[in-house]
Amino acid sequence: MIDYLVTIMRETDGNRCDALRSTLAARLVGWEEVRVHPNVLAYVRVRSESRFTVRRRPSGCLLGIDLGNDSGAWGAYVRIDWTDEGRVTIARDPTGLIPCWRTSAFGAEVVFSDLSEAARALDLSPEIDWDFVRYHLNAPHSQGSRTGVNGVTELLPGWRMEVGDGDRREAPIWGPAAVSRFPFTTTDDALRAMRTAGETAVGAWGRQYQPIALTVSGGLDSAIVLGLLRRYAPDTEVIAVNYLVSHAEGDERAYAVAATPMHGVPLQVFDISSEGLVFDLDEGRGRLRPTTYVLPLGYRQARERIASEIAPEAIFSGTGGDHLFHESMSPRVLTDAMMDGRSWANLLAIAHQVAPLARETFWSMLWEAHRTRRAGAPMASSLVMTPNAFLTADAASGIDWTSLMHPDVSVEGLGPAKTGQIVSQLDLQNHYWRYGQAFGSDEVHPLISQPMLETSLRTPTYWFGHGGVQRGLARAAFADLLPDSIRLRRGKGSNTSHWIAVMTQNLPFLRELMLDGELVQRGYVDRQAMETALTPLALAGKTDFAGFTTCIGTEIWVRQALSGLSRAPASITQAA
């Protein structure tokens, strides 16, 4: 999409700035220098087909895409501004689509999108932050500003950094907790707002590209995006694609076939076989944090085929719906209703409606909600920790949770389900770049847009199960865009058998990787537990899949970091 490297001198020094300009110009060959301020050096590289560009303004510039009618109200961007007093600010939009990492070098603050390029241009020698690695193993879905690399932090989505007079300050300009404090007053208001946000977000993104390939899984979220694209970006050509894994439980074609004719969109099916899929250690290179996207499940290869055979300007998906439409229901939503001061009659109605979705009885729903309220605010670490059967006690011992968690995780005055929703939405910021910035088509998940984020946050959690149906509010808001087979569907397809087949055929590699790997040697991963899991029988049984894949993804990232984080990735699909 767009790569950039920006240096901001902490103090005015013309000679040092000129020397740094000469160095960067020599090393960033093919990049464009964007002159924005005497103390700022900005270099940008944009793929010619991308809609992410440089937009100059009277007092700065915007890197990315502005979908708010030139107002900067929402979009996907990193924005550079300065004041008459000489202070420079870097602001990032709330979605996190455009990466923004920060470090210091040559007496300057440096923000950049790609570690490999920054390290090469500035002679950086990245080293692993082992405290972060331990944190990640315990809380893989909740990231703060720390990264796996010492001295490199993230400017968080919705935050800004201000540099001037020899100092640097970071502060939020958008926060999920603040948005949540302005809830809708009725379910009808929430329904209308959800529909309007979907029309605005998907329509605006859809009108940027021609043509679009949309992955239609057969589930609710991609079907909603399909309907919104055809209705609110009618001039954009859309080709639906469906991934067919070689196991019956993952065959979603019947639902995709139901959705696409309704909107006059052609459907192409791309087969994904587990046969021949192997791990590639280079998949983890160049990233600043571990990821499970290094697992060789065949989706990257399918995407490469889509890019080659269809040649879309962008590949869209329905990613984000589970988080935005609040897939997970529990007695905590009733606790939220109690804290919101709902009447007893309303509380009883909510308990009756939500209990089946939470797999509780009416009475257990009431009891658990009451007990949660009496218990008070939980420990902050419990909000982000994910149980992992493969970790030792040492892996969590002494972790400074406060310094590693996202600052928006621990919020006073909000109900437990709303706080959990905020944690879930923060995880959405890690969903981009499944395939890498350098991929040939832009990667767009239009539901992960500021209008949708804010609408979801303003909706009380106990309304998402509208009508006693999982994600019932979303089903009602977009009902006219959905075929009955999807609108009334309650289950989901699964790629578990495909996953097991891939892991099983890679067992020799995984045993060598994990049993004597860095995580075992440092005492973070229990070798015996991992060895027990690395058999065909164990993989087909009740293995802790989430913990297992977290450990594998982290070990691969560590191996690449030790062999040279800054070396350019071997695959075009990888980026920082």
Side-chain angles (χ1 to χ4, degrees):
M1 286 187 178
I2 185 169
D3 281 317
Y4 65 90
L5 187 149
V6 179
T7 66
I8 309 166
M9 306 304 294
R10 298 191 191 97
E11 297 177 352
T12 301
D13 187 332
N15 292 334
R16 178 177 288 182
C17 195
D18 289 342
L20 185 55
R21 175 180 282 111
S22 297
T23 299
L24 294 178
R27 296 180 180 180
L28 296 175
V29 178
W31 292 50
E32 176 190 0
E33 181 180 354
V34 181
R35 295 180 179 270
V36 293
H37 187 273
N39 288 353
V40 178
L41 299 176
Y43 291 84
V44 179
R45 180 178 60 187
V46 182
R47 182 171 49 80
S48 59
E49 300 86 358
S50 178
R51 292 296 180 269
F52 291 75
T53 59
V54 180
R55 302 187 66 178
R56 292 171 174 81
R57 299 177 171 212
S59 60
C61 69
L62 183 141
L63 310 177
I65 187 167
D66 181 355
L67 298 173
N69 297 321
D70 296 321
S71 66
W74 72 280
Y77 56 81
V78 170
R79 194 177 66 237
I80 307 171
D81 295 295
W82 58 84
T83 67
D84 293 338
E85 293 77 25
R87 300 191 69 84
V88 178
T89 62
I90 307 287
R92 190 179 181 201
D93 86 277
T95 68
L97 172 52
I98 307 294
C100 190
W101 313 104
R102 188 212 68 82
T103 192
S104 298
F106 298 99
E109 294 293 332
V110 183
V111 293
F112 58 91
S113 61
D114 187 298
L115 176 64
S116 300
E117 297 290 357
R120 180 175 60 83
L122 298 168
D123 293 324
L124 304 179
S125 299
E127 296 180 353
I128 295 175
D129 180 346
W130 289 104
D131 285 340
F132 174 85
V133 170
R134 292 194 303 123
Y135 171 82
H136 175 81
L137 287 168
N138 286 277
H141 304 296
S142 180
Q143 312 290 353
S145 60
R146 291 265 290 271
T147 72
V149 178
N150 279 319
V152 179
T153 58
E154 180 180 12
L155 179 62
L156 294 171
W159 282 57
R160 75 171 184 175
M161 179 179 76
E162 185 174 326
V163 180
D165 301 325
D167 70 345
R168 172 180 62 86
R169 296 194 295 264
E170 293 183 19
I173 53 178
W174 182 95
V179 175
S180 299
R181 297 189 193 281
F182 296 91
F184 298 113
T185 55
T186 69
T187 53
D188 285 344
D189 288 342
L191 280 166
R192 284 191 293 269
M194 183 175 288
R195 178 59 181 249
T196 299
E199 295 171 2
T200 300
V202 178
W205 277 111
R207 291 189 292 272
Q208 302 300 314
Y209 297 95
Q210 185 71 268
I212 287 171
L214 169 66
T215 56
V216 177
S217 65
L220 177 67
D221 308 324
S222 59
I224 288 173
V225 173
L226 173 61
L228 290 171
L229 280 172
R230 297 318 303 131
R231 186 78 60 85
Y232 300 102
D235 295 329
T236 299
E237 180 186 1
V238 178
I239 301 100
V241 297
N242 178 261
Y243 298 142
L244 176 63
V245 299
S246 53
H247 298 275
E249 66 191 21
D251 188 348
E252 298 275 88
R253 283 176 296 176
Y255 297 100
V257 166
T260 49
M262 180 177 179
H263 299 290
V265 170
L267 174 67
Q268 295 189 30
V269 177
F270 288 80
D271 294 332
I272 296 178
S273 171
S274 58
E275 201 171 319
L277 293 176
V278 296
F279 280 84
D280 178 0
L281 283 180
D282 268 347
E283 289 283 345
R285 193 180 300 281
R287 297 180 185 263
L288 282 143
R289 296 184 178 120
T291 175
T292 57
Y293 296 139
V294 297
L295 303 182
L297 297 179
Y299 295 103
R300 176 176 60 79
Q301 289 86 343
R303 182 185 167 105
E304 289 173 346
R305 286 181 55 204
I306 292 169
S308 172
E309 296 175 20
I310 299 177
E313 288 189 345
I315 300 180
F316 279 44
S317 83
T319 293
D322 286 353
H323 301 68
L324 294 164
F325 305 144
H326 208 55
E327 169 77 10
S328 176
M329 293 299 240
S330 76
R332 295 186 303 170
V333 302
L334 186 57
T335 307
D336 282 12
M338 292 175 177
M339 295 178 65
D340 288 346
R342 298 290 171 177
S343 68
W344 268 107
N346 197 202
L347 292 174
L348 295 176
I350 292 169
H352 179 76
Q353 179 174 273
V354 175
L357 306 181
R359 298 185 178 181
E360 300 278 350
T361 67
F362 173 79
W363 296 108
S364 67
M365 188 83 178
L366 288 171
W367 169 248
E368 288 298 325
H370 171 70
R371 190 171 66 85
T372 300
R373 186 179 186 186
R374 287 191 58 128
M379 292 180 59
S381 60
S382 69
L383 298 172
V384 299
M385 284 187 69
T386 301
N388 188 326
F390 299 97
L391 301 185
T392 65
D394 290 343
S397 177
I399 290 178
D400 183 358
W401 295 95
T402 302
S403 71
L404 287 156
M405 288 192 314
H406 195 291
D408 284 323
V409 165
S410 185
V411 179
E412 294 183 2
L414 294 179
K418 180 58 68 175
T419 302
Q421 183 192 13
I422 288 174
V423 173
S424 176
Q425 286 213 8
L426 293 174
D427 181 43
L428 279 180
Q429 297 161 355
N430 302 316
H431 274 260
Y432 274 109
W433 313 126
R434 294 185 174 196
Y435 308 98
Q437 294 164 260
F439 201 82
S441 302
D442 283 354
E443 178 182 348
V444 178
H445 311 302
L447 293 180
I448 309 179
S449 296
Q450 190 170 339
M452 289 297 297
L453 293 175
E454 293 180 350
T455 299
S456 178
L457 289 166
R458 294 184 62 199
T459 302
T461 55
Y462 38 88
W463 289 350
F464 283 101
H466 180 66
V469 177
Q470 204 81 28
R471 297 196 284 178
L473 199 71
R475 295 178 196 274
F478 302 105
D480 60 307
L481 304 177
L482 304 171
D484 288 345
S485 59
I486 292 178
R487 182 176 57 83
L488 301 175
R489 187 185 185 192
R490 299 296 180 262
K492 280 188 173 186
S494 170
N495 69 350
T496 302
S497 295
H498 173 68
W499 185 96
I500 292 172
V502 172
M503 296 301 115
T504 300
Q505 70 188 23
N506 281 277
L507 276 174
F509 168 83
L510 290 173
R511 291 179 66 85
E512 181 180 351
L513 175 78
M514 297 305 302
L515 297 186
D516 295 304
E518 283 291 325
L519 301 182
V520 166
Q521 291 182 35
R522 287 180 174 270
Y524 304 160
V525 168
D526 184 324
R527 189 182 193 278
Q528 183 175 349
M530 183 60 69
E531 186 171 23
T532 301
L534 288 170
T535 66
L537 187 61
L539 288 176
K542 295 185 177 180
T543 297
D544 173 9
F545 290 151
F548 185 69
T549 55
T550 294
C551 291
I552 292 173
T554 305
E555 180 68 36
I556 289 174
W557 182 86
V558 166
R559 296 287 187 96
Q560 289 303 337
L562 291 174
S563 67
L565 263 167
S566 61
R567 200 179 80 196
S571 169
I572 191 173
T573 64
Q574 297 303 305

